[in-house]
Amino acid sequence: MYSIKELYKIGNGPSSSHTIGPFEATKAFRKKYPDVDEVEVKLYGSLALTGKGHLTDYIVEQGFMPLKCKIIFDIDYEAPHPNTMDIIGYLDGKVVANMRVYSVGGGAIKIEGEPERQMDKIYPLSKLKDIAAYCKDYKLRLCDYVDMIEGDSINGYLETIYSVMNDSIECGLNAKGILPGKLEIKRKANYLYYQKTPKNMENMEYRRRKLVSYAYAVGEENASGGQIVTAPTCGASGILPACVRYAEDTGRFTHEDIINGLKTAALIGNIVKTNGSISGAEAGCQAEVGTACSMAAAFLVEIQNGSLEQIESAAEIALEHHLGLTCDPVQGYVQIPCIERNAVAALRAVDAANLSSYLNNSDSKVSFDVVVETMLETGKDLRPIYRETSEGGLAKKLK
């Protein structure tokens, strides 16, 4: 597996696969072909069908400025990957360069014909079963395993990640108005956070409302093109930060606990990314929100010093009960149902973490690794209209 630095990335919304990934593609192309004076970019699959709402054309144009850039949304061509783009470079009117790029989720890209960055695959184990067995043998927690593989630099990196997560919450909580786009969705995070608390509202209910407001805050920042952390994607970026702030509100956990929790959460996300998918265009929203919920549940158990079995159980419960979740952004915007879905998943992460502490995890019949494999298979079985194309589900009903 790659470093968790490849999972937690800082970027601007609204979509890691549709904005961060394509922007990385423009940088890769310009680095390889610095002499072109004009480019043409062809977008296929989900990039073509929801690229307008996801600001793909805007970010590609920004990436190639000041070059002349023609963008073609080709919804008919059946590309080998749902997030495929062809970049053609011109010099004095003649084609001099071609690059096919796949945006594979979480802001990561693959360039056709070029080897993957094998040197960056620093984790020798990629299944939770194997990692857990290693940790038991050497009496390590999952966060210790991350430290062992990543080295001392990971703490500084996660401090930055933690800071951006907090900033995105604060920005979202203090913003008002309408989100950009044709849907004209009113921001709700500020209202959820600052509304008066009824005297009869129990403390737990009050905390859960705050949890929801945090998820909305990041989701709305993402939808407006603000800066967020992919955790593991832009579309699911509100779930883990919401659970981090929710945990901090209790005053029970140290800063070190939070950073260690982020390590364990990233390890869970990395396992899904390696053995399954974190791309909504490839496997539906189960791959994005489901994975984020799983990461957040693992985070919550980790900071409470839960056992390896409890961490696996929480992660497994969170992902299992998102199986089959479709990706159907209305009019291609990462707003409906995406923002509310982040809030629901944050609540579910808390419940999954709690449930894992109630159960006897030693006799579980379903492992996390099996659920990851099942999620990918389920995603491939979903019809394309339910995989970030805006052709099915709510997107079909609310045109």
Side-chain angles (χ1 to χ4, degrees):
M1 296 192 298
Y2 294 119
S3 167
I4 63 172
K5 295 176 183 178
E6 295 296 316
L7 185 83
Y8 288 143
K9 293 182 178 179
I10 298 168
N12 292 80
S15 169
S16 44
S17 60
H18 287 59
T19 51
I20 297 179
F23 189 72
E24 289 299 313
T26 66
K27 291 196 294 184
F29 186 89
R30 298 195 76 161
K31 182 177 180 180
K32 187 172 183 178
Y33 304 109
D35 297 327
V36 301
D37 56 21
E38 183 178 344
V39 292
E40 180 179 89
V41 180
K42 296 181 180 179
L43 304 173
Y44 309 114
S46 178
L47 290 180
L49 289 162
T50 63
K52 280 287 184 182
H54 284 44
L55 305 182
T56 306
D57 51 344
Y58 168 79
I59 202 69
V60 169
E61 289 171 350
Q62 291 297 305
F64 280 121
M65 285 184 65
L67 300 180
K68 181 180 179 182
C69 178
K70 179 181 180 181
I71 298 177
I72 298 172
F73 294 88
D74 189 338
I75 63 174
D76 297 316
Y77 177 72
E78 294 187 11
H81 187 279
N83 287 331
T84 300
M85 57 191 294
D86 283 333
I87 307 175
I88 301 109
Y90 294 85
L91 181 62
D92 298 329
K94 295 181 179 180
V95 175
V96 295
N98 280 279
M99 178 181 285
R100 170 160 286 191
V101 184
Y102 307 115
S103 182
V104 295
I109 61 172
K110 291 182 180 179
I111 301 173
E112 187 175 82
E114 294 188 9
E116 291 188 46
R117 295 172 296 161
Q118 298 293 334
M119 66 187 71
D120 291 340
K121 287 188 176 182
I122 62 175
Y123 285 85
L125 304 174
S126 60
K127 296 289 184 73
L128 184 56
K129 176 184 177 181
D130 298 327
I131 294 172
Y134 182 91
C135 288
K136 286 181 180 179
D137 287 344
Y138 290 93
K139 295 180 172 54
L140 300 173
R141 298 191 64 78
L142 293 179
C143 57
D144 298 328
Y145 180 74
V146 172
D147 282 333
M148 185 185 77
I149 299 295
E150 300 274 356
D152 294 338
S153 66
I154 195 59
N155 287 306
Y157 185 82
L158 289 178
E159 290 290 347
T160 302
I161 292 299
Y162 169 76
S163 177
V164 174
M165 284 182 171
N166 274 323
D167 288 346
S168 63
I169 289 176
E170 291 301 322
C171 288
L173 289 179
N174 290 297
K176 296 181 181 180
I178 305 297
L179 293 174
K182 298 178 181 179
L183 295 176
E184 297 187 341
I185 301 296
K186 185 178 180 180
R187 285 177 176 262
K188 299 180 178 65
N190 180 275
Y191 164 76
L192 287 165
Y193 185 80
Y194 288 106
Q195 66 177 297
K196 283 188 176 182
T197 304
K199 291 182 179 180
N200 63 348
M201 179 177 279
E202 295 181 5
N203 183 52
M204 179 55 70
E205 185 181 352
Y206 174 69
R207 287 184 57 217
R208 286 169 74 88
R209 191 180 74 191
K210 290 294 181 67
L211 171 67
V212 167
S213 74
Y214 302 148
Y216 264 87
V218 181
E220 289 169 356
E221 277 301 290
N222 177 66
S224 61
Q227 189 177 70
I228 52 82
V229 173
T230 59
T233 64
C234 287
S237 59
I239 300 161
L240 181 56
C243 289
V244 171
R245 180 68 70 87
Y246 171 84
E248 288 182 319
D249 284 348
T250 68
R252 293 167 46 202
F253 306 104
T254 66
H255 183 70
E256 183 181 5
D257 291 333
I258 299 298
I259 296 299
N260 284 337
L262 289 175
K263 293 172 187 175
T264 296
L267 186 62
I268 291 297
N270 226 359
I271 291 169
V272 180
K273 182 179 180 180
T274 302
N275 301 294
S277 175
I278 59 170
S279 169
E282 184 176 25
C285 200
Q286 56 170 358
E288 296 198 35
V289 164
T291 302
C293 184
S294 193
M295 293 168 63
F299 164 86
L300 291 167
V301 179
E302 174 62 61
I303 64 174
Q304 296 176 80
N305 205 36
S307 67
L308 279 168
E309 290 81 8
Q310 288 174 327
I311 292 173
E312 175 172 8
S313 177
E316 180 270 317
I317 290 167
L319 186 56
E320 178 183 345
H321 298 291
H322 278 93
L323 290 177
L325 186 63
T326 60
C327 183
D328 50 352
V330 174
Q331 293 189 29
Y333 293 100
V334 191
Q335 297 177 17
I336 301 176
C338 318
I339 297 172
E340 184 177 281
R341 188 168 284 173
N342 272 245
V344 171
L347 291 166
R348 185 174 288 186
V350 173
D351 291 337
N354 288 335
L355 184 54
S356 73
S357 70
Y358 306 152
L359 298 171
N360 178 9
N361 301 290
S362 63
D363 62 353
S364 177
K365 303 297 183 184
V366 183
S367 72
F368 178 72
D369 292 323
V370 166
V371 174
V372 172
E373 293 173 9
T374 303
M375 184 268 283
L376 180 60
E377 292 175 2
T378 302
K380 290 181 177 179
D381 288 339
L382 289 175
R383 292 172 59 195
I385 63 172
Y386 299 116
R387 287 189 267 127
E388 209 172 356
T389 61
S390 288
E391 294 183 313
L394 287 174
K396 181 179 179 182
K397 297 294 183 180
L398 303 174
K399 292 184 178 180

